[in-house]
Amino acid sequence: MSADQRLVSERFPRASTYHPDWVIANVSGGANALWMTEWLTEAMDLRPGMRVLDLGCGRAMSSIFLRREFGVQVWATDLWFSASENIQRIRDAGVEDGVFPIHADARSLPFAAEFFDAIVSIDSFIYYGTDDLYLNYLARFVKPGGPVGIAGAGLMQEITGTVPDHLRAWWTPDLWCLHSADWWKRHWERTGILDIVLADTLQDGWRMWLDWHKTVVPENRVEIEAVEADRGSYLGYVRLVGRRRGDVKLDEPIGSLPVQYTKKPLLRSEKP
């Protein structure tokens, strides 16, 4: 295969126009951020000028893609990767006017309520979004009617017992954060905060997982062999999109409680 054909996919024509050297140099996760972003945005109505939170953006590839392809304004927010490094990447991509790097924890976001028109999260939501309370916190930042969408690595079916034999060499305790599209749908739906637009999986996603790793980290034989053995039985990519309901009141997160110590008797036998 020639260098020019690396990461070219008929399934993702927009992402295929980006130079493979640029994509590989800016890897920040286990999935091709451009493929995942293109797939997710197929189910989201993004229009020029919209304010979009790209949560867990890594090295901001997805943020740059969103700005270039859709003309939206993007707040490229991540905890693990440097905002100072990301701004250099953003400048070099020519999108400094519409992509704003932010260093922040997903659980402590520095934004006003209902500031965003849409929220996306590419291959990072699994690290914080499984918390039963998190959606109530996050949804506050998008306007009523605005979409919240996630895409990334997941399961085609839940693992209800022990880890299948063919995955054991690769499986580590942190991988229990992976879930199926149906699991995510129930996880969001039961809150009543969002109307679920779709919850699905990427056709032949395991093959794309395999192609990505063979191109980017061919030395990672343990994961490559696990995906090859699995052949889509459990491993693949999942996508979920919901819209914030306007008739649901979201509880304000507890930031702090007033504290003032007043000495009181410890035991009933003590005098006040």
Side-chain angles (χ1 to χ4, degrees):
M1 179 180 291
S2 69
D4 288 343
Q5 293 303 307
R6 288 176 301 159
L7 305 180
V8 169
S9 170
E10 292 182 0
R11 177 63 181 81
F12 301 115
R14 289 178 184 258
S16 295
T17 65
Y18 290 76
H19 198 290
D21 287 347
W22 183 81
V23 176
I24 293 170
N26 296 316
V27 168
S28 59
N32 185 325
L34 299 190
W35 289 350
M36 293 296 99
T37 308
E38 183 166 349
W39 182 42
L40 180 60
T41 53
E42 291 170 359
M44 301 179 74
D45 182 21
L46 299 182
R47 298 180 301 278
M50 291 177 69
R51 291 198 292 258
V52 177
L53 170 59
D54 185 3
L55 186 58
C57 70
R59 291 192 168 96
M61 272 203 296
S62 51
S63 303
I64 292 167
F65 181 88
L66 289 167
R67 176 61 178 174
R68 287 180 53 87
E69 301 298 324
F70 300 98
V72 295
Q73 299 179 76
V74 189
W75 277 255
T77 304
D78 199 89
L79 176 64
W80 294 347
F81 292 90
S82 167
S84 297
E85 180 189 343
N86 277 347
I87 192 61
Q88 297 178 54
R89 188 172 294 106
I90 290 163
R91 285 171 180 159
D92 287 345
V95 292
E96 186 180 6
D97 62 334
V99 181
F100 315 110
I102 302 291
H103 182 259
D105 191 319
R107 300 175 185 274
S108 184
L109 296 171
F111 306 115
E114 301 183 5
F115 180 76
F116 294 104
D117 298 295
I119 296 174
V120 303
S121 181
I122 303 301
D123 206 36
S124 72
F125 202 75
I126 54 176
Y127 297 115
Y128 41 84
T130 56
D131 184 337
D132 289 338
L133 303 179
Y134 188 70
L135 187 61
N136 180 85
Y137 171 76
L138 179 65
R140 296 170 55 254
F141 298 107
V142 68
K143 297 173 182 177
V148 179
I150 66 174
L155 299 179
M156 301 300 96
Q157 58 177 314
E158 290 296 306
I159 298 175
T160 56
T162 58
V163 176
D165 290 344
H166 66 280
L167 296 179
R168 285 184 181 175
W170 169 65
W171 196 269
T172 52
D174 59 304
L175 291 173
W176 288 110
C177 67
L178 297 177
H179 288 289
S180 65
D182 286 342
W183 186 94
W184 282 109
K185 183 174 184 290
R186 290 192 301 272
H187 186 60
W188 281 11
E189 203 167 40
R190 65 185 180 179
T191 67
I193 294 171
L194 303 178
D195 288 323
I196 306 304
V197 175
L198 64 78
D200 64 359
T201 60
L202 181 61
Q203 184 177 4
D204 288 332
W206 72 274
R207 295 182 186 278
M208 295 179 184
W209 187 326
L210 195 59
D211 290 346
W212 171 247
H213 277 74
K214 284 184 175 181
T215 301
V216 177
V217 282
E219 68 279 6
N220 186 5
R221 295 305 307 170
V222 174
E223 184 166 347
I224 288 172
E225 289 171 5
V227 177
E228 287 177 331
D230 184 71
R231 297 185 63 83
S233 295
Y234 288 94
L235 304 179
Y237 295 125
V238 301
R239 174 177 64 169
L240 187 68
V241 177
R243 288 190 175 275
R244 179 183 167 183
R245 295 179 57 180
D247 60 342
V248 175
K249 183 180 182 301
L250 301 179
D251 295 330
E252 290 292 323
I254 297 175
S256 63
L257 295 173
V259 178
Q260 181 177 356
Y261 175 70
T262 302
K263 185 177 180 180
K264 296 291 183 181
L266 176 65
L267 303 175
R268 290 179 179 269
S269 60
E270 295 181 4
K271 294 182 180 180

